[in-house]
Amino acid sequence: MFEPVLLKNVDVPDGHLLSTYEAGGGYQALAKVLREYTPDEVVELVKQSNLRGRGGAGFPTGMKWSFVPKRPDKPKYLCCNADEGEPGTFKDRIIMERDPHQLIEGLAVSAYAIGAETAYVYIRGEYVTAIRRLEQAIAEAHEKGYLGTSVLGSDFNFAVHIHCGAGAYICGEETAMLESLEGKRAQPRLKPPFPAVAGLYASPTVINNVETLACVPHIVMRGPHWFRGIGPDKSPGPKLYCLSGQVRKPGLYELPMGIPLRELVENHAGGPLPGRRIKAVIPGGVSAPMIPEHGLEVGMDFDSLAAAGSMLGSAGVIVIDDSTCMVKVSTRIIEFFHHESCGKCTPCREGLNWVVKVLRRIEAGEGATGDLEQLEMLCKGIFGNTFCALGDGAAMGLRAALAHFRDEFVTHIEERRCPFH
């Protein structure tokens, strides 16, 4: 029987308060690592769990931590990516609003592991409630000795600072986030060097997602074998899935990694709206290529979705039913990426501009012969030719729509109308 751990406090009255968190065993993981483990042993523990980053890329967390140099000549930093700008994603917001101490404990354990004494939570400015809850939780943790100098009587010092973003999607990219933290324009950096070697202020930096960090205390308390016993061995652990779109029971669900997409949508989220059929599902936020209805048996984990031509991403699951025009969906998604492009890379900046123009023309009934071939050519020019994955996500999503629902694009061009109006 699967037991939720990440969301166990979200429906508890005053779940955001320190007293509630402590009553449920909160900060015992921090006390345990300070008492029983060296930093290297904590890194090894997380490696054994095979925790993979929950922000989108799925990189092994323990391995990322191990890349941080041991030399003491520069300070080390821990950054929490709480920007959560991917449309259809709201998992991190719920953790920060309802159970912020879970994140703070995860930050403290992770900072101890990598040798950092300072952490920054980069949070989107629109998350006003989450910001206030985090500020309150940080103050409570300081007062009880979970943060500050000599944490719990040890020689570990740790401070957490909140940095509010201003709504730029590009700040979800880790190096653009670092640029923003330094007070610069948020644009991706050329890698290498990677942040673990030269990140914030050119110092060794680890960047982890909110959900990733929230998993760490549970791994410490329950052990890596417990974590690996949930879901597939290559992508184990509990996972937060954000269900939205044309579905009966949208919401945030904590379930094992690897659950079949069909089971997630039909059993847990109640299936399509009355009288409708599922047409496609976007499994990982709008950067992830959509999967048509006949492909919904795929497991919701990094490797299974990659094999199916999509990706888990932020696990923002968006359900699309048979009343929806895929040309309209594709146009809206590309308009978003075009608007949020930082403009640094010519293929993304200029390519998405042309893609938007062509899609708007097709949607307006003014498409021409050769437009679909031009869209495919533009996607080819964008994909793999940019500093970050924004352009890649836009191109992959449009390619999937053209592959699975090309007939709708053809109808718009040949009949100069939308068949769904």
Side-chain angles (χ1 to χ4, degrees):
M1 184 69 179
F2 177 72
E3 175 193 358
V5 291
L6 300 173
L7 298 183
K8 68 177 183 180
N9 286 334
V10 297
D11 292 324
V12 175
D14 296 326
H16 63 287
L17 297 179
L18 177 58
S19 57
T20 307
Y21 189 64
E22 287 178 323
Y27 289 106
Q28 289 183 13
L30 176 58
K32 184 177 181 178
V33 298
L34 293 177
R35 185 177 62 246
E36 301 177 14
Y37 292 89
T38 66
D40 287 345
E41 287 172 340
V42 179
V43 173
E44 186 57 34
L45 198 71
V46 174
K47 275 187 177 180
Q48 290 173 10
S49 74
N50 201 19
L51 169 64
R52 295 175 65 175
R54 287 355 191 193
F59 194 82
T61 304
M63 186 180 297
K64 179 186 282 190
W65 291 1
S66 70
F67 293 157
V68 176
K70 305 296 183 192
R71 63 178 187 269
D73 57 326
K74 287 186 176 181
K76 301 175 180 68
Y77 295 104
L78 175 62
C79 292
C80 171
N81 190 340
D83 191 62
E84 197 165 55
E86 187 73 19
T89 312
F90 43 88
K91 60 187 180 66
D92 298 341
R93 175 174 64 84
I94 298 300
I95 290 175
M96 292 185 288
E97 288 182 357
R98 308 283 184 87
D99 197 4
H101 284 282
Q102 183 178 206
L103 170 59
I104 292 171
E105 185 173 20
L107 282 164
V109 174
S110 304
Y112 174 75
I114 67 169
E117 294 189 350
T118 305
Y120 292 93
V121 179
Y122 190 100
I123 183 170
R124 59 186 304 173
E126 299 94 330
Y127 279 5
V128 176
T129 301
I131 292 166
R132 289 173 180 166
R133 290 278 170 86
L134 274 174
E135 288 173 343
Q136 179 186 2
I138 290 169
E140 286 183 314
H142 261 289
E143 190 175 335
K144 288 295 291 285
Y146 298 124
L147 295 176
T149 55
S150 302
V151 172
L152 296 179
S154 69
D155 58 359
F156 173 54
N157 306 318
F158 185 51
V160 177
H161 305 282
I162 297 173
H163 186 98
C164 300
Y169 174 78
I170 193 63
C171 290
E173 198 279 331
E174 61 179 18
T175 60
M177 185 190 77
L178 295 178
E179 291 285 288
S180 180
L181 271 172
E182 293 179 4
K184 303 170 187 173
R185 182 176 181 177
Q187 291 187 325
R189 297 174 179 175
L190 178 64
K191 295 182 282 190
F194 292 92
V197 176
L200 187 64
Y201 308 124
S203 296
T205 305
V206 165
I207 302 156
N208 284 135
N209 168 260
V210 172
E211 185 188 352
T212 309
L213 293 162
C215 287
V216 173
H218 302 291
I219 292 170
V220 171
M221 294 306 297
R222 295 168 179 255
H225 298 295
W226 160 80
F227 194 84
R228 292 193 77 140
I230 301 170
D233 190 57
K234 291 184 178 180
S235 301
K239 182 75 189 81
L240 299 181
Y241 301 99
C242 313
L243 270 291
S244 65
Q246 294 156 320
V247 67
R248 295 188 191 219
K249 295 191 292 183
L252 183 62
Y253 295 82
E254 182 179 354
L255 294 161
M257 185 78 88
I259 185 172
L261 181 53
R262 187 178 299 280
E263 180 182 339
L264 180 63
V265 171
E266 296 185 354
N267 296 3
H268 295 279
L273 300 174
R276 308 263 40 128
R277 290 184 298 106
I278 293 173
K279 187 174 189 175
V281 176
I282 297 173
V286 296
S287 296
M290 61 182 67
I291 295 175
E293 191 278 336
H294 62 76
L296 298 189
E297 307 303 332
V298 65
M300 285 292 287
D301 62 83
F302 297 105
D303 301 310
S304 299
L305 282 167
S310 189
M311 61 183 183
L312 182 62
S314 60
V317 181
I318 304 170
V319 180
I320 303 168
D321 72 20
D322 58 357
S323 68
T324 303
C325 170
M326 286 306 188
V327 176
K328 185 174 183 179
V329 169
S330 301
T331 303
R332 185 68 198 94
I333 290 174
I334 295 296
E335 285 175 340
F336 169 80
F337 284 119
H338 174 238
H339 177 76
E340 294 295 343
S341 173
C342 75
K344 182 170 185 173
C345 307
T346 304
C348 181
R349 182 185 67 244
E350 300 300 329
L352 290 180
N353 182 46
W354 279 105
V355 172
V356 166
K357 287 180 179 178
V358 175
L359 284 172
R360 284 175 176 168
R361 192 169 70 232
I362 293 172
E363 190 185 4
E366 300 170 0
T369 303
D371 276 353
L372 300 188
E373 289 73 21
Q374 185 179 14
L375 287 175
E376 289 167 344
M377 181 192 71
L378 288 166
C379 287
K380 184 178 179 181
I382 296 168
F383 186 79
N385 295 314
T386 55
F387 270 59
C388 81
L390 188 151
D392 290 351
M396 289 192 300
L398 181 55
R399 280 174 164 176
L402 288 169
H404 298 306
F405 301 100
R406 194 178 189 89
D407 57 324
E408 293 187 24
F409 289 84
V410 171
T411 299
H412 275 74
I413 293 170
E414 292 183 349
E415 300 183 13
R416 297 189 173 277
R417 66 178 184 88
C418 175
F420 294 89
H421 286 172

